[in-house]
């Protein structure tokens, strides 16, 4: 999953679910990349990420997992 943050040089993406049998699946991490400087910022660490949905203005990102919804700002601060 990949999304551009409107009006910026940032792209946000989530990695895939990791299935490492016999343990439980590990959820994704969410990363933003500045396409000019190629700087990466983790928005959600491994096992904290999930499906991503951007607010229309790109200021907030919802990260959805089967058991929770987290809201982070595009600068990485956790909002909820």
């Amino acid at each position: 999953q990949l999304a551009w943050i409107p009006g910026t040089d940032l792209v946000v993406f989530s990695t895939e679910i990791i299935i490492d049998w016999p343990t439980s699946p590990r959820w994704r991490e969410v990363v933003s990349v500045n396409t000019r400087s190629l700087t990466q910022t983790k928005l959600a660490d491994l096992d904290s990420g999930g499906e991503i949905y951007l607010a229309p203005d790109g200021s907030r990102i919802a990260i959805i997992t089967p058991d929770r919804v987290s809201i982070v700002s595009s600068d990485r601060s956790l909002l909820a």
Side-chain angles (χ1 to χ4, degrees), residues 2-80:
L2 181 132
W4 289 92
I5 297 180
T8 71
D9 294 322
L10 295 176
V11 64
V12 177
F13 64 93
S14 61
T15 60
E16 292 296 320
I17 295 172
I18 300 167
I19 299 185
D20 187 19
W21 297 103
T23 61
S24 299
R26 298 176 67 195
W27 298 104
R28 307 169 188 184
E29 60 186 353
V30 177
V31 178
S32 71
V33 176
N34 183 307
T35 58
R36 289 198 188 271
S37 67
L38 301 180
T39 304
Q40 292 185 31
T41 303
K42 276 192 184 180
L43 301 176
D45 293 326
L46 192 62
D47 294 334
S48 298
E51 298 289 326
I52 57 172
Y53 299 92
L54 270 61
D57 66 358
S59 64
R60 295 176 305 274
I61 302 164
I63 303 171
I64 313 295
T65 64
D67 62 344
R68 81 177 151 231
V69 175
S70 300
I71 308 293
V72 297
S73 68
S74 55
D75 69 359
R76 188 173 185 336
S77 57
L78 182 65
L79 301 174

